[in-house]
Amino acid sequence: MDTVLIKVLKGPAYYVPTAFSPNADGRNDIFRPIPAGISSTKKFSVYNRYGTMVLKPANGLKDGMDGTKDKCNLLVLIYGF
Protein backbone atom coordinates (compact mmCIF):
# COMPACT_ATOMS: atom_id res chain seq x y z
CA MET A 1 0.00 0.00 0.00
CA ASP A 2 1.31 3.45 -0.94
CA THR A 3 0.92 6.50 1.26
CA VAL A 4 0.34 10.02 -0.01
CA LEU A 5 0.75 13.12 2.14
CA ILE A 6 -1.33 16.09 1.08
CA LYS A 7 -0.64 19.43 2.72
CA VAL A 8 -3.21 22.17 2.23
CA LEU A 9 -1.88 25.72 2.54
CA LYS A 10 -3.97 28.86 2.87
CA GLY A 11 -3.10 31.47 0.30
CA PRO A 12 -2.19 33.68 -1.29
CA ALA A 13 0.92 33.78 0.84
CA TYR A 14 4.56 32.77 0.96
CA TYR A 15 5.46 30.11 3.48
CA VAL A 16 9.06 30.69 4.50
CA PRO A 17 11.12 28.25 6.58
CA THR A 18 12.44 29.68 9.83
CA ALA A 19 15.67 27.70 9.48
CA PHE A 20 17.51 25.27 7.24
CA SER A 21 20.51 23.01 7.74
CA PRO A 22 22.70 22.80 4.61
CA ASN A 23 24.81 19.88 5.85
CA ALA A 24 24.10 17.49 2.94
CA ASP A 25 22.12 15.00 5.02
CA GLY A 26 19.15 15.20 2.64
CA ARG A 27 16.86 16.94 5.17
CA ASN A 28 16.18 20.70 5.09
CA ASP A 29 19.29 21.29 2.95
CA ILE A 30 17.75 23.97 0.73
CA PHE A 31 16.10 27.21 1.82
CA ARG A 32 13.16 27.75 -0.50
CA PRO A 33 9.99 29.79 0.20
CA ILE A 34 6.78 28.07 -0.88
CA PRO A 35 4.26 30.24 -2.78
CA ALA A 36 0.69 29.19 -2.02
CA GLY A 37 -1.91 30.62 -4.38
CA ILE A 38 0.71 32.71 -6.20
CA SER A 39 1.20 31.90 -9.88
CA SER A 40 4.66 33.40 -10.35
CA THR A 41 7.46 35.17 -8.51
CA LYS A 42 9.63 37.59 -10.45
CA LYS A 43 12.42 38.09 -7.90
CA PHE A 44 13.88 36.17 -4.98
CA SER A 45 16.98 37.40 -3.16
CA VAL A 46 18.59 36.66 0.20
CA TYR A 47 20.57 39.28 2.13
CA ASN A 48 22.77 38.98 5.19
CA ARG A 49 22.13 41.15 8.24
CA TYR A 50 24.45 43.84 6.85
CA GLY A 51 22.38 44.26 3.71
CA THR A 52 24.75 42.45 1.36
CA MET A 53 23.01 40.23 -1.18
CA VAL A 54 24.23 36.66 -0.77
CA LEU A 55 21.88 34.94 -3.21
CA LYS A 56 19.90 35.84 -6.29
CA PRO A 57 19.19 32.56 -8.09
CA ALA A 58 18.72 32.65 -11.84
CA ASN A 59 15.63 30.43 -11.59
CA GLY A 60 14.04 32.31 -8.69
CA LEU A 61 12.31 30.16 -6.09
CA LYS A 62 12.93 26.96 -8.04
CA ASP A 63 16.62 26.83 -7.06
CA GLY A 64 16.41 28.16 -3.52
CA MET A 65 19.52 28.54 -1.33
CA ASP A 66 21.83 25.64 -0.45
CA GLY A 67 24.18 27.49 1.92
CA THR A 68 26.86 28.20 -0.68
CA LYS A 69 27.82 31.16 -2.84
CA ASP A 70 30.16 30.71 -5.79
CA LYS A 71 30.66 27.09 -4.61
CA CYS A 72 31.98 28.25 -1.19
CA ASN A 73 30.17 27.57 2.08
CA LEU A 74 28.59 30.63 3.65
CA LEU A 75 29.19 31.41 7.29
CA VAL A 76 26.47 30.65 9.80
CA LEU A 77 24.81 34.03 10.15
CA ILE A 78 21.38 35.58 10.19
CA TYR A 79 19.95 36.25 6.75
CA GLY A 80 16.95 38.34 5.68
CA PHE A 81 14.74 37.75 2.67
Side-chain angles (χ1 to χ4, degrees):
M1 175 160 65
D2 292 331
T3 302
V4 175
L5 172 66
I6 298 174
K7 191 172 199 175
V8 178
L9 303 173
K10 293 180 183 179
Y14 286 97
Y15 288 85
V16 182
T18 56
F20 77 111
S21 59
N23 58 1
D25 68 353
R27 297 177 54 204
N28 299 319
D29 287 335
I30 298 184
F31 174 82
R32 182 183 303 124
I34 300 168
I38 298 172
S39 60
S40 68
T41 300
K42 295 186 187 237
K43 291 183 179 181
F44 169 60
S45 304
V46 178
Y47 298 82
N48 66 17
R49 69 169 109 186
Y50 306 109
T52 303
M53 184 185 307
V54 295
L55 174 75
K56 186 176 181 182
N59 292 324
L61 296 178
K62 182 180 174 187
D63 290 343
M65 178 180 181
D66 66 357
T68 63
K69 181 178 180 183
D70 300 327
K71 298 184 181 180
C72 295
N73 289 333
L74 294 171
L75 296 173
V76 176
L77 296 170
I78 298 171
Y79 296 97
F81 42 88

PDB file of all heavy atoms in Angstrom, residues 13-14 33-36 38-45 57-62:
ATOM      1  N   ALA A  13      -0.109  33.463  -0.141  1.00  0.00           N
ATOM      2  CA  ALA A  13       0.925  33.776   0.845  1.00  0.00           C
ATOM      3  C   ALA A  13       2.205  33.043   0.477  1.00  0.00           C
ATOM      4  O   ALA A  13       2.186  32.104  -0.315  1.00  0.00           O
ATOM      5  CB  ALA A  13       0.474  33.363   2.238  1.00  0.00           C
ATOM      6  N   TYR A  14       3.298  33.488   1.053  1.00  0.00           N
ATOM      7  CA  TYR A  14       4.560  32.766   0.958  1.00  0.00           C
ATOM      8  C   TYR A  14       4.802  32.093   2.297  1.00  0.00           C
ATOM      9  O   TYR A  14       4.719  32.734   3.337  1.00  0.00           O
ATOM     10  CB  TYR A  14       5.735  33.709   0.668  1.00  0.00           C
ATOM     11  CG  TYR A  14       5.779  34.206  -0.741  1.00  0.00           C
ATOM     12  CD1 TYR A  14       5.253  35.439  -1.077  1.00  0.00           C
ATOM     13  CD2 TYR A  14       6.352  33.441  -1.732  1.00  0.00           C
ATOM     14  CE1 TYR A  14       5.298  35.899  -2.375  1.00  0.00           C
ATOM     15  CE2 TYR A  14       6.399  33.896  -3.044  1.00  0.00           C
ATOM     16  CZ  TYR A  14       5.862  35.125  -3.347  1.00  0.00           C
ATOM     17  OH  TYR A  14       5.907  35.569  -4.635  1.00  0.00           O
ATOM     18  N   PRO A  33      11.364  29.407  -0.155  1.00  0.00           N
ATOM     19  CA  PRO A  33       9.991  29.789   0.197  1.00  0.00           C
ATOM     20  C   PRO A  33       8.991  29.051  -0.692  1.00  0.00           C
ATOM     21  O   PRO A  33       9.282  28.741  -1.843  1.00  0.00           O
ATOM     22  CB  PRO A  33       9.949  31.290  -0.074  1.00  0.00           C
ATOM     23  CG  PRO A  33      11.367  31.727  -0.035  1.00  0.00           C
ATOM     24  CD  PRO A  33      12.156  30.562  -0.551  1.00  0.00           C
ATOM     25  N   ILE A  34       7.818  28.784  -0.143  1.00  0.00           N
ATOM     26  CA  ILE A  34       6.775  28.073  -0.883  1.00  0.00           C
ATOM     27  C   ILE A  34       5.639  29.049  -1.169  1.00  0.00           C
ATOM     28  O   ILE A  34       5.003  29.537  -0.237  1.00  0.00           O
ATOM     29  CB  ILE A  34       6.246  26.877  -0.068  1.00  0.00           C
ATOM     30  CG1 ILE A  34       7.383  25.909   0.224  1.00  0.00           C
ATOM     31  CG2 ILE A  34       5.096  26.195  -0.796  1.00  0.00           C
ATOM     32  CD1 ILE A  34       7.034  24.866   1.255  1.00  0.00           C
ATOM     33  N   PRO A  35       5.380  29.354  -2.457  1.00  0.00           N
ATOM     34  CA  PRO A  35       4.265  30.236  -2.782  1.00  0.00           C
ATOM     35  C   PRO A  35       2.956  29.447  -2.832  1.00  0.00           C
ATOM     36  O   PRO A  35       2.848  28.465  -3.556  1.00  0.00           O
ATOM     37  CB  PRO A  35       4.631  30.789  -4.159  1.00  0.00           C
ATOM     38  CG  PRO A  35       5.508  29.736  -4.761  1.00  0.00           C
ATOM     39  CD  PRO A  35       6.196  29.037  -3.623  1.00  0.00           C
ATOM     40  N   ALA A  36       2.002  29.848  -2.026  1.00  0.00           N
ATOM     41  CA  ALA A  36       0.690  29.194  -2.023  1.00  0.00           C
ATOM     42  C   ALA A  36      -0.325  30.162  -2.620  1.00  0.00           C
ATOM     43  O   ALA A  36      -0.512  31.263  -2.100  1.00  0.00           O
ATOM     44  CB  ALA A  36       0.287  28.811  -0.606  1.00  0.00           C
ATOM     45  N   ILE A  38       0.011  31.674  -5.449  1.00  0.00           N
ATOM     46  CA  ILE A  38       0.714  32.707  -6.200  1.00  0.00           C
ATOM     47  C   ILE A  38       1.248  32.047  -7.474  1.00  0.00           C
ATOM     48  O   ILE A  38       2.005  31.080  -7.402  1.00  0.00           O
ATOM     49  CB  ILE A  38       1.851  33.314  -5.368  1.00  0.00           C
ATOM     50  CG1 ILE A  38       1.264  33.978  -4.114  1.00  0.00           C
ATOM     51  CG2 ILE A  38       2.666  34.300  -6.192  1.00  0.00           C
ATOM     52  CD1 ILE A  38       2.283  34.439  -3.119  1.00  0.00           C
ATOM     53  N   SER A  39       0.862  32.573  -8.617  1.00  0.00           N
ATOM     54  CA  SER A  39       1.198  31.897  -9.876  1.00  0.00           C
ATOM     55  C   SER A  39       2.653  32.074 -10.296  1.00  0.00           C
ATOM     56  O   SER A  39       3.218  31.186 -10.924  1.00  0.00           O
ATOM     57  CB  SER A  39       0.273  32.361 -10.995  1.00  0.00           C
ATOM     58  OG  SER A  39       0.408  33.750 -11.183  1.00  0.00           O
ATOM     59  N   SER A  40       3.259  33.213  -9.981  1.00  0.00           N
ATOM     60  CA  SER A  40       4.656  33.402 -10.354  1.00  0.00           C
ATOM     61  C   SER A  40       5.329  34.390  -9.411  1.00  0.00           C
ATOM     62  O   SER A  40       4.682  35.225  -8.798  1.00  0.00           O
ATOM     63  CB  SER A  40       4.786  33.892 -11.796  1.00  0.00           C
ATOM     64  OG  SER A  40       4.283  35.206 -11.901  1.00  0.00           O
ATOM     65  N   THR A  41       6.642  34.265  -9.328  1.00  0.00           N
ATOM     66  CA  THR A  41       7.456  35.170  -8.513  1.00  0.00           C
ATOM     67  C   THR A  41       8.567  35.696  -9.403  1.00  0.00           C
ATOM     68  O   THR A  41       9.326  34.913  -9.967  1.00  0.00           O
ATOM     69  CB  THR A  41       8.051  34.419  -7.306  1.00  0.00           C
ATOM     70  OG1 THR A  41       6.974  33.896  -6.525  1.00  0.00           O
ATOM     71  CG2 THR A  41       8.893  35.340  -6.451  1.00  0.00           C
ATOM     72  N   LYS A  42       8.649  37.007  -9.542  1.00  0.00           N
ATOM     73  CA  LYS A  42       9.629  37.590 -10.453  1.00  0.00           C
ATOM     74  C   LYS A  42      11.013  37.667  -9.843  1.00  0.00           C
ATOM     75  O   LYS A  42      12.001  37.526 -10.537  1.00  0.00           O
ATOM     76  CB  LYS A  42       9.173  38.964 -10.900  1.00  0.00           C
ATOM     77  CG  LYS A  42       7.910  38.890 -11.728  1.00  0.00           C
ATOM     78  CD  LYS A  42       7.540  40.228 -12.296  1.00  0.00           C
ATOM     79  CE  LYS A  42       6.202  40.109 -12.955  1.00  0.00           C
ATOM     80  NZ  LYS A  42       6.148  40.457 -14.308  1.00  0.00           N
ATOM     81  N   LYS A  43      11.115  37.938  -8.537  1.00  0.00           N
ATOM     82  CA  LYS A  43      12.418  38.088  -7.897  1.00  0.00           C
ATOM     83  C   LYS A  43      12.458  37.332  -6.578  1.00  0.00           C
ATOM     84  O   LYS A  43      11.469  37.255  -5.870  1.00  0.00           O
ATOM     85  CB  LYS A  43      12.707  39.562  -7.590  1.00  0.00           C
ATOM     86  CG  LYS A  43      12.937  40.428  -8.775  1.00  0.00           C
ATOM     87  CD  LYS A  43      13.292  41.839  -8.297  1.00  0.00           C
ATOM     88  CE  LYS A  43      13.552  42.763  -9.451  1.00  0.00           C
ATOM     89  NZ  LYS A  43      13.916  44.113  -8.974  1.00  0.00           N
ATOM     90  N   PHE A  44      13.622  36.798  -6.280  1.00  0.00           N
ATOM     91  CA  PHE A  44      13.877  36.174  -4.980  1.00  0.00           C
ATOM     92  C   PHE A  44      15.341  36.405  -4.652  1.00  0.00           C
ATOM     93  O   PHE A  44      16.211  36.012  -5.416  1.00  0.00           O
ATOM     94  CB  PHE A  44      13.562  34.675  -5.017  1.00  0.00           C
ATOM     95  CG  PHE A  44      14.042  33.932  -3.803  1.00  0.00           C
ATOM     96  CD1 PHE A  44      13.589  34.263  -2.541  1.00  0.00           C
ATOM     97  CD2 PHE A  44      14.953  32.904  -3.924  1.00  0.00           C
ATOM     98  CE1 PHE A  44      14.033  33.585  -1.427  1.00  0.00           C
ATOM     99  CE2 PHE A  44      15.401  32.213  -2.817  1.00  0.00           C
ATOM    100  CZ  PHE A  44      14.945  32.559  -1.564  1.00  0.00           C
ATOM    101  N   SER A  45      15.610  37.098  -3.567  1.00  0.00           N
ATOM    102  CA  SER A  45      16.979  37.399  -3.159  1.00  0.00           C
ATOM    103  C   SER A  45      17.112  37.177  -1.660  1.00  0.00           C
ATOM    104  O   SER A  45      16.151  37.352  -0.919  1.00  0.00           O
ATOM    105  CB  SER A  45      17.338  38.850  -3.473  1.00  0.00           C
ATOM    106  OG  SER A  45      17.155  39.137  -4.828  1.00  0.00           O
ATOM    107  N   PRO A  57      19.168  33.674  -7.136  1.00  0.00           N
ATOM    108  CA  PRO A  57      19.193  32.559  -8.086  1.00  0.00           C
ATOM    109  C   PRO A  57      18.586  32.925  -9.438  1.00  0.00           C
ATOM    110  O   PRO A  57      17.624  33.675  -9.508  1.00  0.00           O
ATOM    111  CB  PRO A  57      18.377  31.473  -7.391  1.00  0.00           C
ATOM    112  CG  PRO A  57      17.542  32.177  -6.394  1.00  0.00           C
ATOM    113  CD  PRO A  57      18.272  33.427  -6.020  1.00  0.00           C
ATOM    114  N   ALA A  58      19.188  32.390 -10.478  1.00  0.00           N
ATOM    115  CA  ALA A  58      18.724  32.651 -11.842  1.00  0.00           C
ATOM    116  C   ALA A  58      17.305  32.139 -12.059  1.00  0.00           C
ATOM    117  O   ALA A  58      16.530  32.736 -12.790  1.00  0.00           O
ATOM    118  CB  ALA A  58      19.674  32.009 -12.845  1.00  0.00           C
ATOM    119  N   ASN A  59      16.953  31.030 -11.417  1.00  0.00           N
ATOM    120  CA  ASN A  59      15.627  30.428 -11.591  1.00  0.00           C
ATOM    121  C   ASN A  59      14.670  30.781 -10.464  1.00  0.00           C
ATOM    122  O   ASN A  59      13.700  30.070 -10.227  1.00  0.00           O
ATOM    123  CB  ASN A  59      15.750  28.913 -11.707  1.00  0.00           C
ATOM    124  CG  ASN A  59      16.441  28.510 -12.990  1.00  0.00           C
ATOM    125  OD1 ASN A  59      16.259  29.139 -14.017  1.00  0.00           O
ATOM    126  ND2 ASN A  59      17.258  27.478 -12.927  1.00  0.00           N
ATOM    127  N   GLY A  60      14.949  31.846  -9.739  1.00  0.00           N
ATOM    128  CA  GLY A  60      14.044  32.307  -8.689  1.00  0.00           C
ATOM    129  C   GLY A  60      13.854  31.286  -7.584  1.00  0.00           C
ATOM    130  O   GLY A  60      14.812  30.688  -7.103  1.00  0.00           O
ATOM    131  N   LEU A  61      12.612  31.061  -7.207  1.00  0.00           N
ATOM    132  CA  LEU A  61      12.306  30.160  -6.092  1.00  0.00           C
ATOM    133  C   LEU A  61      12.621  28.705  -6.393  1.00  0.00           C
ATOM    134  O   LEU A  61      12.794  27.908  -5.485  1.00  0.00           O
ATOM    135  CB  LEU A  61      10.828  30.280  -5.701  1.00  0.00           C
ATOM    136  CG  LEU A  61      10.390  31.634  -5.156  1.00  0.00           C
ATOM    137  CD1 LEU A  61       8.894  31.611  -4.864  1.00  0.00           C
ATOM    138  CD2 LEU A  61      11.152  31.999  -3.915  1.00  0.00           C
ATOM    139  N   LYS A  62      12.686  28.357  -7.658  1.00  0.00           N
ATOM    140  CA  LYS A  62      12.932  26.958  -8.036  1.00  0.00           C
ATOM    141  C   LYS A  62      14.255  26.436  -7.466  1.00  0.00           C
ATOM    142  O   LYS A  62      14.343  25.326  -6.976  1.00  0.00           O
ATOM    143  CB  LYS A  62      12.917  26.819  -9.557  1.00  0.00           C
ATOM    144  CG  LYS A  62      13.110  25.420 -10.045  1.00  0.00           C
ATOM    145  CD  LYS A  62      13.083  25.373 -11.558  1.00  0.00           C
ATOM    146  CE  LYS A  62      13.425  23.987 -12.040  1.00  0.00           C
ATOM    147  NZ  LYS A  62      13.577  23.942 -13.482  1.00  0.00           N
TER     148      LYS A  62
END
